[in-house]
């Protein structure tokens, strides 16, 4: 890996996305859902940041806000140092080519009225890349890249299995040669055997093309397989972030420890000490004061109820391990 690969391709600074809640006769804004509430991280070229957390914690909203599929409320998204949130729609065209997404549901994300060739060709047509003959050649190349033959180009999505449909979605995401891809739970709707094929495909594409990924999942085993670094998200915030081996070897945040205790052990003779959480996730419309996790944390202290813990590095400069918890202040 050369020096260029260690530069930050994407940097997210204090990103927030609030959704208004309307009420009353005049449908005025009466509250806000804090789906993403001050998230910061960076991803280097050719690296994968895995994002894990419970359903509803804001993972997918964060991925879409980075791509401006949801317009962020505030914050910065820097691509090679340029804040794309300050760009107008017509200025975003070039960055749209560099930033792509693989959607969770491989059936709903593909138009049932279009053939495979039409689906993959659409981004090439929109961005006017190459001649018509060039685009046809590109379709065949992309199908080969995802392990499918040219004979499928005139078939429709309903004729394929879930894994094959997801491969078509990946081919579409690759059509514009992106530098960064948001993979929004790309294997959650697939059988376990098919999951491994798609995960291996993504890993191979990352190795060959040097694409950076934000890989979103609720499955810690999947995240461990594909990620270089992991961020743990709870109620719109990243509460812990570290290199994959460091995080799995020594999780620091109480919430991360709960998630790790829930990972199944493949050996039936070995028992894992499971940590059971009490209570439900607080509403993002009315988040608790202080640490967002203190209402369910068995180690909560008085300060946790009043003060949001800052993010501190409990690792070292070479191998940072960032955690937002008063236990380490």
């Amino acid at each position: 890996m050369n020096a260029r690969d260690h530069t930050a391709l994407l940097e997210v600074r204090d990103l927030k996305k609030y959704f208004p809640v309307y009420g009353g006769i005049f449908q005025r804004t009466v509250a806000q859902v804090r789906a993403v509430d001050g998230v910061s991280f960076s991803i280097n070229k050719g690296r994968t940041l895995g994002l894990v957390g419970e359903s509803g914690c804001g993972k997918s909203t964060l991925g879409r806000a980075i791509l401006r599929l949801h317009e962020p409320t505030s914050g910065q998204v820097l691509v090679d140092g340029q804040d794309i949130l300050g760009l107008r729609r017509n200025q975003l065209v070039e960055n749209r080519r560099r930033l792509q997404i693989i959607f969770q549901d491989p059936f709903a994300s593909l138009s049932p009225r279009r053939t495979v060739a039409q689906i993959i060709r659409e981004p090439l047509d929109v961005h006017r890349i190459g001649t018509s003959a060039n685009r046809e050649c590109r379709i065949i190349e992309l199908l080969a890249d995802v392990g499918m033959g040219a004979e499928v180009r005139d078939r429709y999505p309903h004729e394929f299995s879930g894994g094959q449909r997801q491969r078509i979605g990946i081919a579409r995401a690759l059509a514009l040669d992106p530098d960064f891809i948001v993979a929004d739970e790309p294997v959650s709707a697939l059988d376990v055997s098919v999951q491994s094929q798609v995960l291996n495909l993504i890993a191979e594409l990352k190795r060959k093309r040097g694409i950076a990924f934000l890989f979103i999942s609720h499955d810690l085993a999947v995240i461990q397989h594909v990620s270089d670094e992991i961020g743990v998200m709870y109620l719109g915030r990243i509460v812990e972030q570290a290199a994959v081996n460091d995080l799995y070897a020594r999780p620091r945040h109480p919430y991360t420890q709960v998630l790790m205790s829930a990972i199944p052990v493949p050996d039936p003779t070995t028992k894992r000490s499971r940590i059971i959480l009490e209570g439900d996730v607080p509403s993002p419309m009315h988040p608790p004061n202080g640490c967002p996790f203190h209402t369910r944390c068995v180690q909560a202290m008085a300060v946790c109820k009043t003060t949001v813990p800052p993010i501190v590095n409990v690792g070292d400069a070479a191998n940072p391990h960032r955690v937002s918890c008063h236990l380490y202040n």
Side-chain angles (χ1 to χ4, degrees):
M1 187 175 292
N2 56 44
R4 187 183 176 191
D5 294 323
H6 293 281
T7 60
L9 168 70
L10 178 82
E11 188 174 356
V12 176
R13 296 179 182 173
D14 197 27
L15 192 67
K16 297 180 181 179
K17 176 57 184 176
Y18 297 169
F19 292 98
V21 178
Y22 302 104
I25 297 175
F26 300 103
Q27 287 296 293
R28 294 174 177 169
T29 300
V30 296
Q32 290 183 318
V33 176
R34 300 182 179 185
V36 178
D37 197 13
V39 170
S40 300
F41 62 84
S42 62
I43 304 178
N44 293 345
K45 296 180 180 180
R47 306 285 286 178
T48 298
L49 172 65
L51 195 62
V52 67
E54 293 173 282
S55 296
C57 71
K59 304 185 300 297
S60 295
T61 302
L62 174 59
R64 290 167 181 258
I66 290 171
L67 302 180
R68 288 186 63 176
L69 298 180
H70 293 317
E71 284 294 338
T73 302
S74 65
Q76 292 180 299
V77 177
L78 285 78
V79 179
D80 282 338
Q82 181 183 36
D83 185 6
I84 66 171
L85 301 189
L87 300 179
R88 295 173 182 166
R89 289 288 180 179
N90 60 338
Q91 296 173 312
L92 271 174
V93 174
E94 187 61 31
N95 281 288
R96 291 292 190 205
R97 293 177 58 175
R98 301 183 64 192
L99 312 176
Q100 295 293 310
I101 184 169
I102 301 170
F103 293 97
Q104 177 178 355
D105 188 341
F107 191 80
S109 63
L110 303 179
S111 172
R113 296 180 178 86
R114 290 174 175 262
T115 65
V116 170
Q118 290 170 334
I119 288 170
I120 298 175
R121 181 183 171 124
E122 184 177 14
L124 300 173
D125 292 338
V126 169
H127 289 270
R128 301 176 182 177
I129 295 176
T131 64
S132 180
N134 294 147
R135 294 171 194 174
E136 292 303 312
C137 292
R138 180 69 174 148
I139 291 168
I140 303 304
E141 291 173 1
L142 289 165
L143 286 171
D145 285 344
V146 298
M148 301 184 78
E151 68 277 1
V152 306
R153 63 184 312 285
D154 294 321
R155 293 166 62 185
Y156 290 85
H158 72 270
E159 300 179 64
F160 298 95
S161 66
Q164 289 173 320
R165 286 195 292 265
Q166 195 61 288
R167 287 173 185 266
I168 296 167
I170 293 172
R172 178 178 60 185
L174 294 172
L176 299 175
D177 264 337
D179 297 318
F180 171 74
I181 293 178
V182 173
D184 186 8
E185 304 212 34
V187 297
S188 63
L190 307 179
D191 293 336
V192 174
S193 60
V194 181
Q195 282 186 11
S196 62
Q197 297 173 13
V198 174
L199 291 174
N200 290 334
L201 170 62
I202 290 174
E204 182 68 10
L205 291 171
K206 176 184 134 181
R207 184 184 66 81
K208 283 184 176 181
R209 294 170 175 251
I211 299 171
F213 281 88
L214 176 65
F215 194 100
I216 298 169
S217 180
H218 61 274
D219 190 326
L220 281 162
V222 168
I223 285 287
Q224 184 180 21
H225 180 72
V226 300
S227 302
D228 300 297
E229 195 172 359
I230 295 178
V232 180
M233 199 164 179
Y234 183 82
L235 206 62
R237 299 172 181 266
I238 291 183
V239 297
E240 186 168 5
Q241 183 177 342
V244 58
N245 292 334
D246 190 13
L247 191 82
Y248 276 77
R250 194 179 178 190
R252 304 297 184 93
H253 197 281
Y255 177 61
T256 310
Q257 293 168 3
V258 170
L259 294 181
M260 293 297 178
S261 75
I263 300 176
V265 180
D267 185 354
T269 63
T270 303
K271 292 185 178 180
R272 187 188 295 274
S273 179
R274 179 77 185 272
I275 304 173
I276 305 298
L277 281 180
E278 295 184 1
D280 297 323
V281 180
S283 168
M285 190 163 60
H286 302 290
N289 294 326
C291 173
F293 187 60
H294 85 262
T295 58
R296 307 171 75 193
C297 181
V298 296
Q299 302 181 63
M301 303 174 288
V303 67
C304 301
K305 301 177 182 180
T306 59
T307 307
V308 177
I311 297 177
V312 296
N313 182 15
V314 294
D316 53 45
N319 298 290
H321 189 138
R322 301 178 182 88
V323 60
S324 174
C325 181
H326 285 299
L327 293 172
Y328 304 96
N329 290 339

